[in-house]
C-alpha cells in the first residue's frame, strides 16, 4: 500500500460489533500498518535526495528494532518489507513479506500482506526487473522498433502476483483493519488482477511480433485471447483489454508481419482467413 501516513481503525463499541471486528481485550494491530498513498515507483519519482533517503533508512532501522523486541509480530515484518521494497531490495522485501504471512497464524492480516507482496511483484514485472522484458506492450499498433519487443514471457512472473492478489481477495472478509483499508483492497485487488491478465496477454502479443523465428506465434496469440477474456470477466469495462481482443482476432484472421531494424520484412505469419 502507499505513504507513511498511518490510519487508525475507528474505535469499536462492545455492543453491536460486526463479525471480524476486534473483540474486547484484543489489540487492534492494524493501526500499526503503514499505508502509502501511491505505489513504490510513483513514490520514488516524487521523492528523492539525501533527506528522503535518510528518512527511509531511519524507518528501516526503526522497523528492525521493533522486530528485535517482537520477532513474532507479523506487522513489523510487513512494514519492513514495504520499506525495503522502496529501497529496491526486492529479495529481502519478499522474504519479509513471506515471513509476515508465516507469522500471521490467525490470518487476520493475510489480505494486506498478500496484497503488498502482489503489488511488489507486479511493479517488478512492469519495470522489467522480474522478467526478461526490455519494454512492455509498446509498438503494438505501429512498426517494430529495435529493442522494443519482448523476447521471453515467463508465465511464473504473472502467476505469482495473480496468486497473491487472489489470496488478498480470499482473506479480505477476515481482515482486522479499518473500513478504508478494507475498501481499498476490495477495489484495488480485482482491478490489478484485470490489469495483470491484460499485461500478460499484451506481452505475449508483443512476443509474437518479435524478429526472431520461434514458431509459436499463433499459440501465443491464442493464449493471449484467453487471458484477455479473464481480464474482461473481472472488469467488463477494461477498454484496453477490449481493444486488444479486437486486435488479436484480426491478427489470427489476417496474419501479420515483422520487420528488422532496417525496415525489411523479417517474417510473415499466415492468417486463417
Amino acid at each position: 500500500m502507499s505513504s507513511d501516513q498511518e490510519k487508525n481503525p475507528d474505535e469499536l463499541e462492545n455492543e453491536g460489533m460486526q463479525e471480524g471486528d476486534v473483540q474486547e481485550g484484543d489489540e487492534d494491530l492494524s493501526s500499526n500498518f503503514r499505508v502509502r498513498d501511491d505505489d513504490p515507483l510513483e513514490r520514488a519519482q516524487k521523492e528523492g535526495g539525501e533527506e528522503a533517503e535518510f528518512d527511509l533508512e531511519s524507518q528501516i532501522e526503526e522497523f528492525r528494532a521493533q522486530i528485535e523486541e517482537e520477532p513474532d509480530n507479523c506487522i513489523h515484518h510487513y512494514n519492513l518489507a514495504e520499506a525495503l521494497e522502496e529501497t529496491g531490495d526486492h529479495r529481502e522485501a519478499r522474504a519479509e513479506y513471506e515471513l509476515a504471512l508465516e507469522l500471521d497464524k490467525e490470518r487476520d492480516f493475510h489480505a494486506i500482506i498478500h496484497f503488498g507482496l502482489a503489488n511488489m511483484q507486479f511493479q517488478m514485472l512492469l519495470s522489467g526487473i522480474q522478467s526478461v522484458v526490455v519494454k512492455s506492450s509498446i509498438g503494438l499498433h505501429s512498426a517494430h522498433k529495435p529493442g522494443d519487443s519482448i523476447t521471453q514471457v515467463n508465465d511464473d512472473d504473472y502467476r505469482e502476483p495473480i496468486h497473491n492478489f487472489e489470496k488478498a481477495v480470499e482473506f479480505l472478509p477476515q481482515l482486522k483493519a479499518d473500513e478504508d483499508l478494507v475498501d481499498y483492497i476490495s477495489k484495488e485487488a480485482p482491478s490489478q488482477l484485470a490489469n495483470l491478465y491484460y499485461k500478460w496477454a499484451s506481452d505475449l502479443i508483443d512476443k509474437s511480433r518479435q524478429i526472431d523465428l520461434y514458431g509459436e506465434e499463433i499459440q501465443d496469440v491464442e493464449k493471449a485471447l484467453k487471458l484477455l477474456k479473464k481480464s474482461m470477466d473481472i472488469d467488463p469495462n477494461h477498454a484496453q483489454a477490449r481493444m486488444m481482443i479486437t486486435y488479436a482476432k484480426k491478427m489470427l484472421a489476417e496474419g501479420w508481419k515483422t520487420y528488422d531494424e532496417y525496415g525489411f520484412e523479417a517474417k510473415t505469419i499466415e492468417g486463417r482467413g
Side-chain angles (χ1 to χ4, degrees):
M1 307 256 318
S2 27
S3 142
D4 293 332
Q5 177 185 5
E6 295 183 355
K7 295 184 180 179
N8 296 315
D10 297 332
E11 289 186 63
L12 300 173
E13 300 295 338
N14 291 333
E15 296 182 1
M17 292 178 66
Q18 302 298 318
E19 183 179 356
D21 288 338
V22 180
Q23 301 297 321
E24 182 179 3
D26 289 346
E27 181 184 5
D28 184 5
L29 298 177
S30 69
S31 63
N32 295 321
F33 274 110
R34 300 169 71 233
V35 182
R36 298 190 310 232
D37 292 330
D38 46 24
D39 66 56
L41 292 183
E42 292 175 349
R43 184 179 178 85
Q45 292 172 351
K46 293 177 183 177
E47 298 181 351
E50 295 180 0
E51 183 178 352
E53 182 178 350
F54 175 79
D55 290 343
L56 186 55
E57 291 300 326
S58 297
Q59 283 189 328
I60 290 175
E61 290 179 9
E62 179 182 348
F63 296 144
R64 292 194 190 280
Q66 291 173 348
I67 289 173
E68 286 186 12
E69 294 178 6
E70 297 180 288
D72 295 334
N73 189 321
C74 68
I75 295 178
H76 297 332
H77 290 278
Y78 168 89
N79 286 336
L80 177 59
E82 273 206 331
L84 289 168
E85 177 188 342
E86 291 178 40
T87 69
D89 190 348
H90 299 105
R91 179 176 296 182
E92 187 176 356
R94 175 169 182 156
E96 289 296 329
Y97 277 126
E98 291 177 345
L99 182 54
L101 287 171
E102 182 180 337
L103 293 171
D104 185 23
K105 304 296 185 183
E106 301 300 320
R107 300 180 176 180
D108 294 333
F109 307 109
H110 259 39
I112 188 174
I113 299 170
H114 274 294
F115 185 79
L117 177 56
N119 261 334
M120 182 185 75
Q121 292 171 327
F122 194 11
Q123 293 302 327
M124 290 172 66
L125 183 61
L126 289 172
S127 63
I129 296 172
Q130 189 162 318
S131 62
V132 184
V133 174
V134 179
K135 285 186 178 180
S136 63
S137 308
I138 63 174
L140 188 59
H141 299 284
S142 61
H144 172 84
K145 297 179 181 180
D148 284 351
S149 65
I150 290 176
T151 58
Q152 181 176 331
V153 175
N154 181 3
D155 289 351
D156 287 342
D157 289 346
Y158 307 84
R159 286 175 179 151
E160 288 186 11
I162 285 172
H163 166 79
N164 282 304
F165 279 128
E166 288 176 341
K167 286 295 181 182
V169 174
E170 177 184 340
F171 290 109
L172 191 59
Q174 63 194 83
L175 175 61
K176 289 187 176 179
D178 65 323
E179 185 177 344
D180 287 344
L181 186 55
V182 173
D183 287 345
Y184 179 84
I185 296 177
S186 68
K187 294 175 183 177
E188 286 299 311
S191 175
Q192 293 292 62
L193 272 171
N195 288 335
L196 258 166
Y197 281 118
Y198 166 77
K199 161 72 174 165
W200 192 353
S202 64
D203 286 353
L204 283 169
I205 290 176
D206 269 6
K207 179 189 171 198
S208 76
R209 300 172 71 250
Q210 67 174 301
I211 292 177
D212 293 339
L213 298 171
Y214 62 97
E216 297 178 0
E217 295 87 357
I218 294 292
Q219 294 92 320
D220 281 343
V221 176
E222 289 176 336
K223 182 176 180 179
L225 277 172
K226 294 178 181 179
L227 295 170
L228 290 166
K229 183 179 184 302
K230 290 184 178 182
S231 181
M232 293 294 295
D233 287 343
I234 297 169
D235 181 6
N237 297 316
H238 202 296
Q240 292 171 305
R242 183 181 298 110
M243 180 181 70
M244 189 73 74
I245 287 173
T246 301
Y247 184 77
K249 287 181 177 179
K250 182 178 180 180
M251 290 175 70
L252 291 175
E254 300 178 5
W256 65 98
K257 298 178 181 180
T258 61
Y259 300 85
D260 62 21
E261 63 257 49
Y262 303 106
F264 294 106
E265 184 178 323
K267 62 179 177 181
T268 299
I269 309 300
E270 299 295 335
R272 297 169 175 173

